[in-house]
Each structure stands twice: as C-alpha cells, then as structure tokens.
Amino acid sequence: MFNSGSFHAASSHAESNTSGRTARATQAAIRHGDRQFLWHPYAPRTSPTDNLVVDSTDGVHLTLGSGQRVIDGMSSWWAAAHGHGYPHITAAAHRQIDTMSHVMFGGLTHAPAVELGERLIALCPSMDSVFFSDSGSVAIEVALKMALQAQRGLGRPDKTRFLTWRGGYHGDTQGPMSVCDPDNGMHSLWGSVLRPQVFVDAPPPRGSSSADLRAYMETVRAELVRPDSDIAGVIVEPIVQGAGGMTFHDAELLRHLRELCTETSTVLIFDEIATGFGRTGRILACDHAGVAPDILCLGKALTGGFMSFAATLAAEWIARAIDTPAGGGALMHGPTFMGNPLACAVACAALDLIDSGYWKESVPRIEQELRDGLEDLADHPAVADVRCLGAIGVVEMREPLDMALATRTVVEHGVWLRPFGRLLYTMPPFISTSEHIATITRAMRAVVAAHTPGEGLS
Ligand code: PMP
C-alpha cells in the first residue's frame, strides 16, 4: 500500500530551486521511501545502504539531489553510450510517443519495428531474422530457445545443453543464469536448481601465445566432438567478459570457436548485449575477429540507454529449422511488449548516431586517454592488473574494494562509478571529452590511493 506520509506527500511540494537542487526535505523523503520499499540490484532489502538520489541527467552528467553534477563513468551500465538525453534521440522519442507508444505485435506490425529490423540486419548481414524483446536477459532466453528448437528441427532433439567458458555473465533469469559463471558471486546460489550446463575454463587472457590458445581450444573441441555430446550450442561474450570479471581475450579464440561450431553443427551464440554498438572500438566485438555467430544478442546501447529493449538476431538456417514441424513450427516466444514502437523508434535514432560514425574517432581517443591515465597503476602494490580496450578501462585490485569508501571517493572527485569485488572500472559515454576522461581516471587513481595504507586520498 502506498504510504502517503512519506514521499508522495513530500513530493507534492517537491520543488527544485532554480539551481536545480532538490529541496532537502524531498531528498530525505526519496531516500526514506527508497529504503522503505525498494529493492536495488544485488542489494540486501532489510539492511539497505543509502543510494544517491539523481534528479536529472544531461550529456555525460548525472545531477544529484544535492545539486552536484557527476560524470556517469558507467554509461549507466553500458547503456547510455551516447550520454544522456541526446537531443536527436529525445526528439525521436517525442515524435513516436505522440503517434503511438505501444501496440501488441501479435497480428500487427508497424514502421518503427520494420525500420529497426532492416537496419540491424544491415549491421550484421549474415543474419536474416530479428526477434525483439524487452531486456537483455530475455534476449538470451530467446537465443537459447532458438538454438534448442533449431537442433530439434534438424533432427537432433537430444542436443539439449549449452557449452560456455567460465567467467561469463548473461543475465539474471533462469536460462541465462545457467550459463553464467557457476562459481562467482552473482549466481553461485543456484547450482542445484539450474539446468547443468557444460563449463570449460575461462578463456586465456588477451595476449596469450598461439600455442596456449590452441591448447585451450583443444579442451573445447574435446567436449564438442564427444560421441555422446548433448551440446546444442556454445554461448560466449566475445572479446570482453563483462560482469563476470571484466576480462579481455583474443579474437583468435572466436575464429577457432566459429570453425569448431561449424564443424560440429553446434549453434554459436554471441552475447553482445554489453559489447555491441561501438564499445570495443568496432560496431560489434566479433568484428575484431571477422566472424559472425549463428545467433547474436543485442541490448543496452541499442536504445542509447533510453529504455530497456533487446534483440536476438538469427541466421537464416536457424529460422528455417525452427519453422519445421520437428522444430516446433514457430519460435515459441512472444512477450507482451515485443516490438514496442517507442523503443524501436528510439533505437533507430540511436542507430543514426552509430551510423554517423562519430564514435570511430572518440572511442580510440578514449582508449588512449584511459591508458595514459591508468596504465602506470599496474606497478602499484595494491593493483593486480590494468587493462583498457575501446571505451573500457579496468583496474583490478589485489584485495576487494571497500564499496562505501570507493563510492565516496569517486563522487568527491565528480564521478559516478560502481565498482564490484576487486574491480574498479569505467565505460564512459562516447561523447566524453578528454577532460571528462581525465576526471574519471583521476577519480580512479584516488580510489587506489584511498585503499593504500599511507597514501590516503590524492
Ligand atoms: N548479457 C550481458 C553480457 C550483460 O552484460 C547483461 C546485463 N548486464 C545481460 C546479458 C542481461 O541484460 P539485462 O540486464 O538487460 O537483462
């Protein structure tokens, strides 16, 4: 039940003053309501920590309730790749919302969905079918289902499991959780509940020798060629493993995987929900390898971070196999908000920015600036590793970070970051200037200093 004593009452007087600062009473009411009722990602409900109130966003900035502006060094979890409120996307959203915000997709279609479908296929020409859904996790559920139905359609109903490498992350619903790293913090609770999948070691890190890569791929091959193999598909995040540990691997591995999957009629699924749309310096991370999967998942920056939306693309043979009687006759999925016109129109506007190519200059510059600002930390005694790729910069500490201290430190330096475990990392918006990146790297260095006895805040 709504408690009219707290936020609602306060917010009816919730004036921001002319400087944009939310009234102190309103901020307090928001915090209070938040603690009273709301779950936050991976956070305890009954002993909540204080979340920062955000009043508004513009460009690379979040404006906090206190009036302080901080740089969104996370692009709001990879999504706001072009910053917040990009005028071209905002205008498209307004236009679409005035025309048609939502309509069911069963038996109906519309121009925004068709335009987006065509444009996604143009980005990934080896695909020919697009399934729209409402979040990255659902896009993965759909990809897994596509692979299983396609295998049935090809007369292999006994192929029912998926192979993946450790260290991966694919979302929080049951299917994706089953292919996330089985041991790391996020989903280790579920070992006895989830479908047991086939896990091979985490991929060798970027820069491994060809001999190491070949030896590693032999272990993958061994699983796939076993006469009793029940593996329907291989699912991986190409080039960058994100929430599973922010690690990078070599493109050569993807070429090996592609060959192996083709050879063994295994469906190859690339999860580019985090890496897609320029984050690694190429439109898709798999472009670094020059290979395409059979099924491709996109999300996050698909709408430029305006709203939750995702797409699962499939090669022609997948759709054909699914549509046979043995395959089920049709893909058995159909979310209520499938093909939401507002999200499709917004995604088309975000694609305009991708097509404009501006990021092809800014992402390499950001990579260089992240390197310049962070790489020497690799010699710091508290730091285990520093790695940068595209608009991603990671400082891996030797010990777990103190989240409260890290958060306080970055905010004091005018930046928003959300570290986890031993990982302090940034994936800033592509519109970030050199000055923004310097501010972010200064904040990260201050976190390292704050975790180093004797150094204190710098
Ligand atoms: N795959 C990857 C690689 C992701 O990073 C995420 C989200 N962090 C997902 C899937 C799940 O997406 P969503 O949170 O939109 O369900």
Side-chain angles (χ1 to χ4, degrees):
M1 279 297 291
F2 197 76
N3 177 348
S4 63
S6 56
F7 172 63
H8 191 54
S11 66
S12 48
H13 309 285
E15 268 73 274
S16 289
N17 68 20
T18 45
S19 71
R21 179 190 294 256
T22 302
R24 200 178 282 277
T26 307
Q27 271 196 73
I30 293 172
R31 282 225 180 82
H32 176 74
D34 187 70
R35 273 197 306 273
Q36 216 176 355
F37 299 120
L38 302 186
W39 253 300
H40 280 261
Y42 314 105
R45 170 75 186 92
T46 51
S47 55
T49 49
D50 250 351
N51 293 298
L52 290 175
V53 176
V54 184
D55 269 357
S56 63
T57 58
D58 66 294
V60 301
H61 288 107
L62 315 178
T63 301
L64 304 181
S66 61
Q68 186 190 357
R69 275 155 59 84
V70 291
I71 298 170
D72 183 357
M74 304 297 284
S75 295
S76 282
W77 273 343
W78 313 81
H82 314 293
H84 295 274
Y86 202 102
H88 179 69
I89 308 181
T90 306
H94 281 296
R95 269 197 311 278
Q96 187 58 42
I97 214 164
D98 286 342
T99 317
M100 165 171 65
S101 178
H102 180 64
V103 52
M104 65 186 278
F105 212 49
L108 301 175
T109 192
H110 44 78
V114 173
E115 182 186 341
L116 181 58
E118 278 178 12
R119 293 179 69 176
L120 290 177
I121 294 299
L123 282 188
C124 327
S126 57
M127 306 279 131
D128 94 329
S129 305
V130 182
F131 191 100
F132 292 125
S133 59
D134 25 24
S135 75
S137 298
V138 177
I140 298 289
E141 295 279 7
V142 169
L144 301 177
K145 198 182 269 186
M146 280 177 179
L148 294 174
Q149 283 194 242
Q151 291 289 13
R152 287 183 190 201
L154 293 167
R156 296 192 283 261
D158 50 327
K159 303 279 183 193
T160 56
R161 292 205 296 163
F162 290 89
L163 180 142
T164 187
W165 47 39
R166 285 172 185 269
Y169 176 78
H170 300 283
D172 294 345
T173 58
Q174 300 263 322
M177 278 202 301
S178 76
V179 287
C180 287
D181 187 281
D183 298 324
N184 81 10
M186 295 249 223
H187 299 320
S188 52
L189 287 176
W190 301 110
S192 60
V193 173
L194 297 170
R195 174 126 186 79
Q197 309 288 14
V198 179
F199 292 95
V200 292
D201 287 345
R206 181 174 67 174
S208 297
S209 69
S210 286
D212 282 349
L213 297 185
R214 270 198 303 278
Y216 175 79
M217 285 312 297
E218 277 311 309
T219 64
V220 180
R221 160 184 285 275
E223 292 292 344
L224 291 173
V225 300
R226 276 165 43 165
D228 61 343
S229 162
D230 56 0
I231 297 169
V234 170
I235 177 165
V236 298
E237 296 155 275
I239 304 292
V240 177
Q241 292 186 289
M246 299 299 295
T247 53
F248 307 152
H249 55 259
D250 287 307
E252 198 180 330
L253 280 178
L254 303 179
R255 288 190 283 271
H256 283 303
L257 271 187
R258 177 64 279 177
E259 279 166 22
L260 253 182
C261 285
T262 303
E263 182 191 327
T264 56
S265 304
T266 308
V267 178
L268 180 59
I269 304 169
F270 283 165
D271 175 354
E272 295 240 17
I273 288 163
T275 50
F277 303 110
R279 179 58 62 183
T280 66
R282 309 293 285 263
I283 289 193
L284 297 174
C286 63
D287 293 341
H288 289 281
V291 296
D294 303 306
I295 298 177
L296 174 70
C297 299
L298 300 169
K300 292 188 183 274
L302 172 61
T303 60
F306 266 57
M307 60 187 63
S308 181
F309 198 58
T312 309
L313 278 57
E316 195 224 351
W317 68 271
I318 298 279
R320 248 181 221 295
I322 290 170
D323 287 352
T324 60
L331 182 66
M332 289 299 160
H333 216 99
T336 305
F337 285 95
M338 179 169 180
N340 173 257
L342 180 55
C344 288
V346 162
C348 285
L351 275 183
D352 289 341
L353 300 183
I354 292 297
D355 289 349
S356 78
Y358 85 93
W359 56 274
K360 289 184 188 163
E361 282 171 21
S362 67
V363 171
R365 170 185 51 79
I366 290 170
E367 174 173 338
Q368 190 54 53
E369 290 166 356
L370 289 172
R371 286 182 191 285
D372 294 345
L374 299 175
E375 263 183 357
D376 66 317
L377 285 174
D379 300 327
H380 192 286
V383 172
D385 189 34
V386 176
R387 41 190 184 268
C388 303
L389 174 69
I392 308 171
V394 184
V395 177
E396 185 173 334
M397 306 291 289
R398 292 192 189 281
E399 301 293 333
L401 287 149
D402 172 339
M403 277 284 278
L405 175 62
T407 302
R408 205 168 53 241
T409 306
V410 292
V411 171
E412 276 168 12
H413 281 76
V415 176
W416 172 245
L417 296 176
R418 185 78 175 155
F420 68 89
R422 295 185 295 112
L423 296 169
L424 174 66
Y425 64 107
T426 181
M427 46 273 188
F430 306 159
I431 59 164
S432 303
T433 62
S434 304
E435 210 177 305
H436 296 139
I437 301 299
T439 305
I440 292 172
T441 56
R442 261 198 307 275
M444 293 171 79
R445 299 180 77 87
V447 173
V448 173
H451 284 76
T452 310
E455 281 194 27
L457 287 180
S458 71

